[in-house]
Every structure is written in structure tokens, then in C-alpha cells.
């Protein structure tokens, strides 16, 4: 079956509400939904976090990053970590755990590792860019960066049921400027990704910004959350194995000087290097 036909079949599947996650992600999804329940109070938040070891580790790691822990006093427990970073960030991290569990279920370890590392870099850079350039909410930008590749994590998880959906030749061919992704295929991927994000109760404004990133329509100067994500995606030193249209239509590092002057960008990245490295380490727990 050709890739376009496979994507059409998967699109029909998700549009009918049949999102099929690997068994390993079910507990993470249940905790994510529980944390997003309006009736979930602080004590319940603590309890749910402690039920998920990966989420507990990630919450404590983020609390110890230089972005949140300016005092340098080591945080060693979940309660102190939540008090420091806030419940909203915990909910964001719970969704990140779903993405990471999707990644853990895959057999294409090298491709999945690259995809997750790319997501972590984009998340960390988006947090800095939002705070220093586009004046968006930094926590929201970091969260959107973590989950912006979620459609590919899901597609990789479904590959064993749809042989031919993903292969090395396909991934490399999408990196070519001469071989742009078919618009119909892109629309299928957007529908699949949007359905997954909605299933995880992601706010509509964040979904719209991630779709903006997928479409690759960067504005000059960058001001929106979508622009923030596109900017971070371009700066990320680890690239996605599945290149976006924005990587194929002239928006490259060589064009960043159109967004912000080179000296200012260099200063921002230099000043923020420790923050970025700290966030990447925490997100990649």
C-alpha cells in the first residue's frame, strides 16, 4: 500500500474516534486526564504524580533546572517541586510523559531518539525565544515545543499495523528541497496530529500554533506562539527525521538574520545556553 493510501486510512481511523495507543501509554493518559480534571486539588495532584515514576522524575528534574530554581537549593521531593513549578507546569509535563511513553514503545530506536531529542531542543529554545524575543508565555511555548512532533510519535507507534508507513528512504527524501511533501499527505498528517492533541485535551490555541508550525508560514517579525515554535525549530541543533514544510521552503538558519540581527541572537543564545542545556537534560529524563 502506498504511503498516501496508508495516511488516508489512518486519517479515517482517527476521524472516527479510533485512536489506538500502545498499552504502555494508557496509565500515562489516565493520569494526564485526571490532572486536567477541574476537581483535581493540590493533594490529588501530588498523589497522581507519585503514581507515575517517569512523571515524578521529570517534575523534580524541571524544578531543579536553572530556569525554575534560581536559588540553587536542591529539590528532592515531588511536593517541593510542585510548589516551585506550579500545577499548570505539572499538567504540561504529564502530557510530555504520554509523548515519551509513545516513543518508548517504538522499535526504531535511532529515529525515535532523534525525534525526542529534537522535541526537547525545540521546547527549551521556544521557552527562551518566547521570553526574550516574541514575548509569549514561556511555559506555554516550552509545552508546545515538547508535543509538536506528537503525530509522528503516534504514526511510528502504528507502523507495525501499516507496513510501509515509515522507512529510512521516506524520511531522507522529505529532507530534500527538490521533493516537497504532497499537500494531501500534509493535510492527512495535520488531521491525525490534531485528533491526537484534542484527545489529550490540549487547548485549541496551542493546537492552532502547532498546526501553524506544521504548515511553516513564518511571519516577519515573529510575534505569535506559532512563530516562536518555527523559530525554535529552525535553531534546534538536532533536526527532526521528518522535515516540515518550513524546512523545505527557504526558512533556514541562513534566513534567521531576517528575523533578528545576528549579534542580538548570538547574545540571547549565549546568555541562555545554561538554561537551554538545563531544560534539555530535565525534559530528557
Amino acid at each position: 500500500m502506498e504511503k498516501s493510501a496508508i495516511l488516508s486510512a489512518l486519517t479515517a481511523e482517527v476521524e472516527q474516534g479510533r485512536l489506538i495507543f500502545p498499552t504502555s501509554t494508557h496509565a500515562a493518559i489516565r493520569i494526564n486526564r485526571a490532572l486536567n480534571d477541574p476537581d483535581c486539588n493540590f493533594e490529588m495532584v501530588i498523589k497522581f504524580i507519585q503514581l507515575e515514576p517517569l512523571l515524578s522524575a521529570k517534575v523534580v528534574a524541571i524544578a531543579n533546572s536553572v530556569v525554575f530554581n534560581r536559588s540553587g537549593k536542591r529539590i528532592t521531593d515531588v511536593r517541593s517541586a510542585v510548589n516551585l513549578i506550579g500545577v499548570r507546569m505539572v499538567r504540561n509535563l504529564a502530557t510530555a510523559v504520554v509523548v515519551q511513553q509513545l516513543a518508548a514503545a517504538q522499535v526504531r530506536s535511532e529515529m525515535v531518539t532523534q525525534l525526542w531529542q529534537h522535541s526537547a531542543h525545540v521546547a527549551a529554545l521556544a521557552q527562551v525565544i518566547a521570553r526574550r524575543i516574541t514575548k509569549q508565555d514561556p511555559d506555554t511555548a516550552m509545552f508546545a515545543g515538547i508535543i509538536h512532533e506528537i503525530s509522528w510519535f503516534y504514526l511510528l507507534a502504528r507502523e507495525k499495523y501499516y507496513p510501509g508507513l515509515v522507512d529510512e528512504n521516506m524520511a531522507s527524501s522529505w529532507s530534500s528541497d527538490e521533493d516537497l511533501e504532497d499537500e494531501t499527505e500534509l493535510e492527512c498528517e495535520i488531521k491525525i496530529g490534531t485528533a491526537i492533541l484534542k484527545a489529550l485535551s490540549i487547548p485549541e490555541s496551542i493546537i492552532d500554533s502547532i498546526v501553524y508550525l506544521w504548515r511553516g508560514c513564518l511571519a516577519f517579525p515573529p510575534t505569535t506562539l506559532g512563530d516562536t515554535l518555527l523559530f525554535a525549530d529552525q535553531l534546534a541543533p538536532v533536526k527532526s527525521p521528518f522535515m516540515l514544510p518550513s524546512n523545505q521552503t527557504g526558512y533556514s538558519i541562513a534566513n534567521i538574520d531576517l528575523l533578528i540581527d545576528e549579534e542580538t541572537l548570538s547574545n540571547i543564545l549565549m546568555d541562555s545556553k545554561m538554561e537551554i542545556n538545563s531544560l534539555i537534560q530535565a525534559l530528557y529524563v
Side-chain angles (χ1 to χ4, degrees):
M1 187 183 293
E2 293 185 357
K3 176 179 165 250
S4 57
I6 295 172
L7 282 172
S8 295
L10 276 165
T11 302
E13 183 178 279
V14 300
E15 286 183 330
Q16 292 167 11
R18 294 190 293 120
L19 281 167
I20 302 171
F21 292 99
T23 303
S24 60
T25 66
H26 288 330
I29 291 172
R30 284 197 299 270
I31 290 174
N32 178 65
R33 287 174 178 166
L35 289 172
N36 281 286
D37 188 325
D39 295 327
C40 185
N41 59 38
F42 185 82
E43 291 302 320
M44 292 170 69
V45 168
I46 301 299
K47 177 182 176 181
F48 284 127
I49 294 170
Q50 292 170 337
L51 288 172
E52 172 51 65
L54 181 57
L55 179 56
S56 296
K58 202 174 292 293
V59 165
V60 172
I62 284 288
N64 280 304
S65 70
V66 295
V67 174
F68 290 97
N69 193 344
R70 299 291 183 181
S71 70
K73 183 179 178 180
R74 191 73 181 169
I75 301 294
T76 58
D77 64 280
V78 168
R79 184 177 296 274
S80 299
V82 176
N83 274 321
L84 181 62
I85 69 176
V87 172
R88 186 179 68 149
M89 177 55 69
V90 169
R91 290 179 178 131
N92 291 347
L93 291 173
T95 304
V97 167
V98 174
V99 177
Q100 199 162 358
Q101 292 285 25
L102 275 174
Q106 312 313 317
V107 294
R108 293 179 178 273
S109 57
E110 291 185 7
M111 188 176 290
V112 169
T113 296
Q114 182 180 345
L115 197 59
W116 180 247
Q117 288 179 341
H118 168 73
S119 299
H121 275 280
V122 170
L125 284 162
Q127 199 268 358
V128 175
I129 291 167
R131 183 162 45 84
R132 300 289 296 271
I133 300 174
T134 59
K135 307 306 179 184
Q136 293 290 308
D137 178 69
D139 291 348
T140 299
M142 183 175 75
F143 174 52
I146 293 171
I147 64 174
H148 82 280
E149 292 280 15
I150 197 167
S151 59
W152 274 113
F153 283 114
Y154 181 81
L155 290 173
L156 284 167
R158 299 291 290 143
E159 182 194 9
K160 64 182 178 181
Y161 301 102
Y162 292 94
L165 174 62
V166 178
D167 59 47
E168 298 297 334
N169 291 331
M170 183 196 74
S172 62
S173 72
W174 286 13
S175 302
S176 169
D177 290 334
E178 299 175 357
D179 189 15
L180 299 184
E181 185 179 5
D182 182 81
E183 184 178 356
T184 302
E185 293 182 357
L186 174 61
E187 291 304 319
C188 286
E189 288 155 21
I190 287 174
K191 287 179 180 178
I192 291 167
T194 300
I196 297 165
L197 292 169
K198 287 182 176 178
L200 296 175
S201 303
I202 305 303
E204 201 69 38
S205 60
I206 295 179
I207 294 176
D208 290 344
S209 296
I210 292 174
V211 172
Y212 182 97
L213 166 64
W214 291 338
R215 293 190 184 281
C217 302
L218 187 59
F220 295 85
T223 56
T224 67
L225 178 57
D227 293 330
T228 303
L229 293 173
L230 270 168
F231 200 170
D233 185 75
Q234 292 294 344
L235 289 175
V238 178
K239 300 302 180 185
S240 168
F242 306 103
M243 303 298 282
L244 292 163
S246 56
N247 296 106
Q248 302 169 332
T249 54
Y251 295 125
S252 65
I253 291 296
N255 302 114
I256 292 297
D257 59 343
L258 297 175
L259 304 175
I260 184 171
D261 69 87
E262 186 175 346
E263 183 178 358
T264 301
L265 177 61
S266 177
N267 288 338
I268 287 172
L269 294 179
M270 186 177 298
D271 292 345
S272 306
K273 186 175 182 179
M274 186 179 294
E275 293 182 10
I276 290 170
N277 289 339
S278 179
L279 279 173
I280 288 170
Q281 290 173 10
L283 291 170
Y284 203 56
V285 167

